[in-house]
Structures are given as C-alpha cells and as structure tokens.
C-alpha cells in the first residue's frame, strides 16, 4: 500500500433496500445506513488542486447507493463485500476501504441501539 494515511469518508448514507434472511426482508424495504472510508494518496491531486485527477466523493456515493439498491443479499456482510469490491474495482487510486452498514430496523427481539457490520479490505495487487 502506498501512503494510505489520507482518508475520504462519507457517513450516514441512507438507502432503502430489501436485504436480509427473513422472507419479509426480501419484499419489504428497510432502512440501511452506510458509512464509508477510503484510503488513498491525495498528494498528487491535492497539491495541484486538480479535480480531474481526484477521486470524487459523489462518484463514491453513487457507487454505494447503486450496489446497496441492487439485488437482494441475505447477509449484510455480503452486501458490505459487494460495496467494497465495487469501490476497489471502479477507483484504482483507492488502497483500502472500510464499509460499515447499520441496520437500525433489524427484525430482532429486544431493545438495541444499533446493529450492523464493519469490513475493511486492502487492495491486494500493487499498482
């Protein structure tokens, strides 16, 4: 991994989608809240102030919303991995990604403040 100390983050991305193990979760959309952190080296485009060479926050957001709104996943972990894979595939400058998916309306018995998963993956192939 290169510099990897620079991080772009998007927090609180809300998506309504049908993901989960239960039959009702396959047909009834529920709210997912997604946080993304991507590590990359920003010195090159940051010093030149050149937007054309930057990784666009909006493009990251669009990718996350597209994948999260896509085909049903039984496991939130599978959804997080699909988002990570899409970000690493679409944005070559990204060295590592952390995706956290909150499922605040998960159909669980009992009272809870939050439930979800957080996955971090690094690009395995050096550029």
């Amino acid at each position: 991994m290169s510099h990897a100390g620079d991080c772009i983050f998007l927090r609180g991305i809300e998506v309504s989608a049908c993901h989960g193990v239960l039959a009702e979760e396959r047909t009834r959309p529920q709210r997912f809240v997604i946080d993304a952190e991507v590590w990359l080296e920003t010195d090159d485009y940051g010093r030149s102030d050149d937007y054309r060479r930057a990784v666009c926050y909006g493009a990251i957001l669009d990718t996350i919303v597209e994948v999260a709104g896509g085909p049903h996943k039984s496991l939130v972990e599978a959804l997080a991995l699909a988002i990570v894979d899409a970000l690493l595939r679409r944005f070559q400058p990204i060295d590592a990604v952390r995706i956290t998916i909150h499922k605040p309306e998960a159909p669980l018995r009992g009272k809870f403040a939050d439930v979800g998963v957080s996955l971090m993956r690094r690009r395995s192939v050096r550029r």
Side-chain angles (χ1 to χ4, degrees):
M1 195 166 11
S2 62
H3 196 299
D6 304 338
C7 181
I8 294 173
F9 63 87
L10 293 91
R11 295 193 179 112
I13 302 165
E14 292 199 25
V15 177
S16 179
C18 296
H19 301 292
V21 174
L22 302 177
E24 70 187 54
E25 293 179 297
R26 294 175 183 269
T27 58
R28 183 184 55 82
Q30 59 187 302
R31 185 169 64 104
F32 293 85
V33 181
I34 302 170
D35 301 326
E37 297 172 79
V38 300
W39 283 268
L40 67 165
E41 190 168 325
T42 63
D43 285 359
D44 180 43
Y45 69 82
R47 289 187 193 286
S48 65
D49 197 21
D50 188 351
Y51 171 78
R52 293 168 298 167
R53 293 167 32 201
V55 173
C56 173
Y57 304 177
I60 293 171
L61 175 66
D62 291 346
T63 300
I64 292 167
V65 170
E66 175 189 320
V67 174
H72 171 268
K73 303 282 187 197
S74 293
L75 301 175
V76 177
E77 293 87 343
L79 176 58
L81 281 169
I83 293 170
V84 166
D85 289 345
L87 290 171
L88 289 173
R89 188 175 52 254
R90 291 181 185 176
F91 304 102
Q92 288 304 308
I94 293 176
D95 291 318
V97 177
R98 180 189 327 247
I99 293 295
T100 302
I101 301 179
H102 308 264
K103 194 173 176 182
E105 298 158 5
L108 301 173
R109 286 188 301 236
K111 197 171 182 178
F112 61 94
D114 197 10
V115 64
V117 301
S118 187
L119 301 178
M120 181 171 184
R121 297 294 184 269
R122 288 174 171 64
R123 185 176 298 283
S124 59
V125 178
R126 292 215 180 240
R127 293 183 295 299

